[in-house]
């Protein structure tokens, strides 16, 4: 099979082990790879429909090749394991030069270094305190994410292993979604740490976990207040008012509360939208359950 000139083909965009790349199932003519682009081969296992490893070169069980603008440090065994949950197609197709331009564009943002800088940026759109900014950035940092801005727009960056923050993979984001994600992570950590404190038999470990849990609980108070100011918090508050008004009105009718509940059940079964003014994100449980 002839190797392809990667600069002349439309290639599929993929995510592989946290790295954005272009994929082809054909062999690649290495002489056509431009400077600043790295090519790696994928090997499949017994199931030839999915890759299991990323290597410099693959002769047997060749699954395809990926091209990316970042160099991967392979393990001592000279390969990087690839699993079912860390290789997928984004659905986009593009030429290599378009992909390189996209990657460069997403690496020119400067991350916020502290809560003061984030608060200053959000001053006109979503006012927060320096303390709130610090907690929010700290929560994201624990997940290897951070925030930056470009042209007055907020971006969320994902850390690339071995690279500086400014070279992260950046995507446009909203402060509402950032706060919502931080709240969910903090809540999950509280549940996890609570269980770990209950399970440990070691006194020193229990003290360490308890101190960590105390910090997350303190952050929870602050994050709750932030969440209440997001569109999701406001929608939940509005939803509660609407439901309360409906229950009070129908409870005063001859059918009472039982009749109200029965009518709601019938409406849901009939496919009626009981919450026409609530955003699709909240209906899909994107907004945090309080």
């Amino acid at each position: 099979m002839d190797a392809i000139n990667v600069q002349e083909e439309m290639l599929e965009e993929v995510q592989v082990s946290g790295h954005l790349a272009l994929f082809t199932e054909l062999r690649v003519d290495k002489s056509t790879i431009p400077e600043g682009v790295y090519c790696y081969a994928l090997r499949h296992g017994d199931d030839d429909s999915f890759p299991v490893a990323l290597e410099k070169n693959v002769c047997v069980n060749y699954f395809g090749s990926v091209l990316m603008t970042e160099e991967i440090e392979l393990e001592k065994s000279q390969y990087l394991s690839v699993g079912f949950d860390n290789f997928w197609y984004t659905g986009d197709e593009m030429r290599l030069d378009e992909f390189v331009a996209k990657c460069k564009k997403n690496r020119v943002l400067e991350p916020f270094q502290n809560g003061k800088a984030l608060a200053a940026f959000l001053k006109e759109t979503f006012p927060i305190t320096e303390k709130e900014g610090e907690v929010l950035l700290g929560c994201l940092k624990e997940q290897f994410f951070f925030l930056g801005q470009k042209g007055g727009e907020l971006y969320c960056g994902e850390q690339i292993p071995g690279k500086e923050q400014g070279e992260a993979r950046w995507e446009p984001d909203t402060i509402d979604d950032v706060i919502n994600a931080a709240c969910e992570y903090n809540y999950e950590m509280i549940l996890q740490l609570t269980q770990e404190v209950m399970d440990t038999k070691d006194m020193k470990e229990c003290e360490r976990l308890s101190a960590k849990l105390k910090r997350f609980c303190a952050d929870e108070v602050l994050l709750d207040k932030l969440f209440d100011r997001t569109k999701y918090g406001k929608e939940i508050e509005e939803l509660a008012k609407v439901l309360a008004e409906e229950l009070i009105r129908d409870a005063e009718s001859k059918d009472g509360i039982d009749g109200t509940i029965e009518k709601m059940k019938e409406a849901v079964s009939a496919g009626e939208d009981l919450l026409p003014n609530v955003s699709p994100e909240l209906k899909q449980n994107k907004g945090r359950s309080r």
Side-chain angles (χ1 to χ4, degrees), residues 1 11 16 23 26-27 31 38 43-44 72 104 119 125 138 141 147 188-189 191 194 209 220 237 251 288:
M1 180 184 296
L11 304 173
V16 53
F23 170 78
L26 302 175
R27 295 280 182 177
S31 68
Y38 303 90
R43 182 190 301 276
H44 67 74
I72 298 178
K104 287 182 177 179
T125 56
K141 185 177 180 180
L147 298 178
E188 289 170 0
M189 288 302 300
L191 294 180
T194 300
L209 291 171
E220 183 81 351
E237 183 179 359
R288 183 181 180 220

Side-chain angles (χ1 to χ4, degrees), residues 234-249:
K234 293 176 181 178
E235 286 181 351
I236 288 176
E237 183 179 359
E238 185 63 29
L239 172 59
K241 290 181 181 178
V242 170
L243 292 179
E245 291 172 357
E246 288 289 334
L247 285 173
I248 292 173
R249 181 166 54 253

